[in-house]
Amino acid sequence: MCPANPDDPAKPLKPADRAGGLPTDFSKVLVVGKSSINRVVVSKIVEKSGLKPISESPDTAGKALSGHVPCAVILDGGADNKDCDGLVSGIDALRRASGKALPSVILLSSRTGTPESFGLSSVIDAVVAKPITPERLQPVIDRLIGR
């Protein structure tokens, strides 16, 4: 189940709820990054939350978002935090169209900070500093999906 209903947190959003006119898939999380190793590590952590990861490179992730909206997107910013910049405007448009800030977005960053410090508070819900570990990422995933 992903995420809690912003209008009534006691009621989870249902699959019939839509973001930007596209059906939201509340069982899937899109994991995006250039490093296939990082995508595998993050995907294993996502699976521990009971969700299904969809692993994509930044070049192919836009197509993955065009057919459905996952409940969350995890972006690996890479060494300079810019690897996924090409997806930000599309994700922002989905979130604005949904009116519910769907999908939730986590940025995996090479430095510590907040969504505000990266200038992406309208798109990014949480920033997790690398190295990526279950102890750092798992609680953030669980919090954002309303568990």
Side-chain angles (χ1 to χ4, degrees):
M1 187 179 352
C2 178
N5 186 332
D7 299 324
D8 182 357
K11 292 182 183 175
L13 289 172
K14 295 183 176 108
D17 294 317
R18 297 182 180 271
L22 296 173
T24 301
D25 191 330
F26 293 94
S27 67
K28 294 186 180 166
V29 173
L30 180 61
V31 178
V32 184
K34 286 185 178 179
S35 167
S36 59
I37 294 170
N38 284 356
R39 290 195 317 258
V40 169
V41 169
V42 172
S43 293
K44 294 293 182 189
I45 296 169
V46 166
E47 288 173 346
K48 288 182 182 182
S49 290
L51 301 165
K52 297 174 189 163
I54 303 168
S55 177
E56 297 284 346
S57 72
D59 298 332
T60 61
K63 187 174 181 177
L65 280 172
S66 67
H68 67 279
V69 179
C71 67
V73 177
I74 300 175
L75 303 173
D76 182 353
D80 61 359
N81 292 321
K82 297 190 180 294
D83 283 3
C84 297
D85 281 0
L87 295 171
V88 171
S89 63
I91 292 170
D92 186 39
L94 281 174
R95 288 168 60 102
R96 280 186 281 119
S98 77
K100 295 181 171 107
L102 289 173
S104 297
V105 181
I106 299 170
L107 174 65
L108 305 176
S109 174
S110 57
R111 59 186 169 97
T112 59
T114 63
E116 292 78 17
S117 68
F118 286 92
L120 297 170
S121 60
S122 68
V123 180
I124 305 293
D125 297 299
V127 177
V128 176
K130 295 178 187 178
I132 305 162
T133 64
E135 296 78 22
R136 287 184 185 196
L137 185 55
Q138 187 77 44
V140 176
I141 293 170
D142 291 343
R143 178 178 53 86
L144 285 179
I145 63 171
R147 292 184 186 249

